[in-house]
Amino acid sequence: MDKKAKNILMKTYWSASGWKDEYTITPKDFTYAKEKGLMFDAVSISHDECVKQIKAIVEKITPQQIVKAFISSLSTRRLDWRSGISSYYIAKMLPMHTYTPVISGKSYENGKVVYTSCTCSICKDLKYGVIGKEDYKDVDVNILNFERIKWGGVRHGELIYILFDLQQFIKEEIPEPTDADIHILKDILKIIMSSAANDHPGILCDRFKDIPDFKSNKNERSSLVEILACIGVLKPQSYERKIQGKNDWTFVEYWRGEDGYDQVAVNEYFGEYL
């Protein structure tokens, strides 16, 4: 990954104090980052074409490639490699279909509906719910790339992110996991299984800080547990649990320490390396 292009992408959206209020970039910097494959022109695509392309790309990727990338991300801190496994998992479940609208929300003013939002009902019923719009107009996919490189992705449950993530993944040359990667993976699994019964996802994220050679920050660890939940490794045994206050969880919200990890999923994805 070109360091200068990555720095341009990062500086476009992020500062020392967090998200920038305005996203600005010079034409020269954009051209450079685009030539290096880290920034892109805005994307417009329909839901149906998005699904079609997702299904075509995912068939070109093997489970071995996606797992190798996930494990290789652990010591290298290549968060973009880590992101692909969740997009792959959802893409494999996603049926070929056309946009089928269902109301997803309403806005009211003086008791009257002033705006109604819709999403695709077939996408919505998949896993914990995939957000599928009818049309995507001039989407700034550079934000998506920023998020996948900085944190390992944030919008794993959005159709446009799944497509973009897989499009970028297929371009990568992924190295074989090192001994350090495999040790980190084993430590992650040990920590999950040693969780106290009532531990919630936030506590698990904090405990991952103690893993040797696993460099990470809070947001990166949060993305990691979301990914593990998305692919079924962190599998809640109940969806009737009390939610731990306001949070941004999508897939892992109902997991608790007593659930540990799902052995079938661990064997399916990581058995070769364990």
Side-chain angles (χ1 to χ4, degrees):
M1 184 182 296
D2 186 89
K3 291 183 178 180
K4 179 179 176 182
K6 179 183 177 182
N7 189 47
I8 290 170
L9 177 64
M10 296 293 114
K11 289 194 304 181
T12 301
Y13 300 101
W14 196 257
S15 69
S17 57
W19 284 100
K20 289 186 174 180
D21 294 329
E22 295 183 4
Y23 308 142
T24 58
I25 184 172
T26 66
K28 181 179 179 180
D29 280 350
F30 178 72
T31 298
Y32 182 88
K34 183 179 175 182
E35 288 175 349
K36 298 300 181 181
L38 290 187
M39 296 192 80
F40 310 85
D41 293 324
V43 170
S44 294
I45 189 172
S46 69
H47 165 281
D48 295 357
E49 182 61 24
C50 199
V51 171
K52 181 180 177 181
Q53 290 189 24
I54 287 171
K55 297 305 291 181
I57 292 174
V58 78
E59 293 307 317
K60 299 176 182 177
I61 302 171
T62 66
Q64 291 76 19
Q65 287 174 299
I66 214 78
V67 169
K68 184 170 70 170
F70 176 86
I71 299 174
S72 294
S73 78
L74 298 175
S75 70
T76 59
R77 213 174 185 178
R78 280 296 301 267
L79 288 303
D80 51 324
W81 293 351
R82 191 175 303 170
S83 174
I85 196 168
S86 60
S87 295
Y88 178 85
Y89 178 87
I90 295 173
K92 293 295 285 185
M93 292 194 303
L94 187 72
M96 186 69 77
H97 67 281
T98 57
Y99 182 74
T100 308
V102 63
I103 294 174
S104 57
K106 295 180 179 180
S107 297
Y108 294 86
E109 190 173 301
N110 298 323
K112 295 182 179 181
V113 176
V114 293
Y115 177 76
T116 300
S117 59
C118 294
T119 189
C120 175
S121 63
I122 296 173
C123 291
K124 181 175 179 289
D125 289 340
L126 191 71
K127 188 69 175 177
Y128 293 93
V130 172
I131 299 171
K133 296 182 180 179
E134 183 174 12
D135 287 291
Y136 296 91
K137 300 288 188 182
D138 297 322
V139 176
D140 181 6
V141 294
N142 298 310
I143 293 180
L144 305 183
N145 205 31
F146 164 78
E147 292 173 346
R148 67 189 285 275
I149 291 171
K150 187 167 181 61
W151 298 306
V154 174
R155 314 180 201 212
H156 295 284
E158 295 191 22
L159 199 65
I160 190 68
Y161 181 80
I162 295 167
L163 174 60
F164 178 78
D165 195 20
L166 294 177
Q167 286 174 330
Q168 303 317 304
F169 178 85
I170 205 167
K171 301 175 186 177
E172 296 288 340
E173 293 185 12
I174 308 296
E176 288 294 331
T178 64
D179 289 343
D181 293 315
I182 296 169
H183 283 308
I184 293 170
L185 174 64
K186 290 179 177 179
D187 284 342
I188 286 172
L189 296 175
K190 286 178 183 177
I191 286 175
I192 293 170
M193 290 306 290
S194 65
S195 297
N198 292 323
D199 282 358
H200 53 79
I203 292 177
L204 183 62
C205 289
D206 289 341
R207 295 182 67 223
F208 284 164
K209 289 189 298 186
D210 299 327
I211 298 175
D213 300 320
F214 185 49
K215 297 178 181 179
S216 63
N217 59 40
K218 182 179 179 180
N219 288 329
E220 292 170 19
R221 294 190 296 273
S222 294
S223 180
L224 174 62
V225 299
E226 281 280 72
I227 290 169
L228 290 173
C230 177
I231 66 175
V233 170
L234 294 178
K235 185 177 180 180
Q237 299 303 309
S238 172
Y239 294 90
E240 303 298 326
R241 290 163 170 156
K242 182 180 179 181
I243 302 305
Q244 296 292 315
K246 185 178 180 181
N247 64 73
D248 296 321
W249 301 123
T250 299
F251 303 110
V252 76
E253 185 171 32
Y254 291 96
W255 179 89
R256 296 294 179 268
E258 63 183 305
D259 300 328
Y261 59 71
D262 185 85
Q263 188 66 58
V264 173
V266 168
N267 290 344
E268 177 184 353
Y269 287 104
F270 309 129
E272 177 184 351
Y273 296 95
L274 299 176

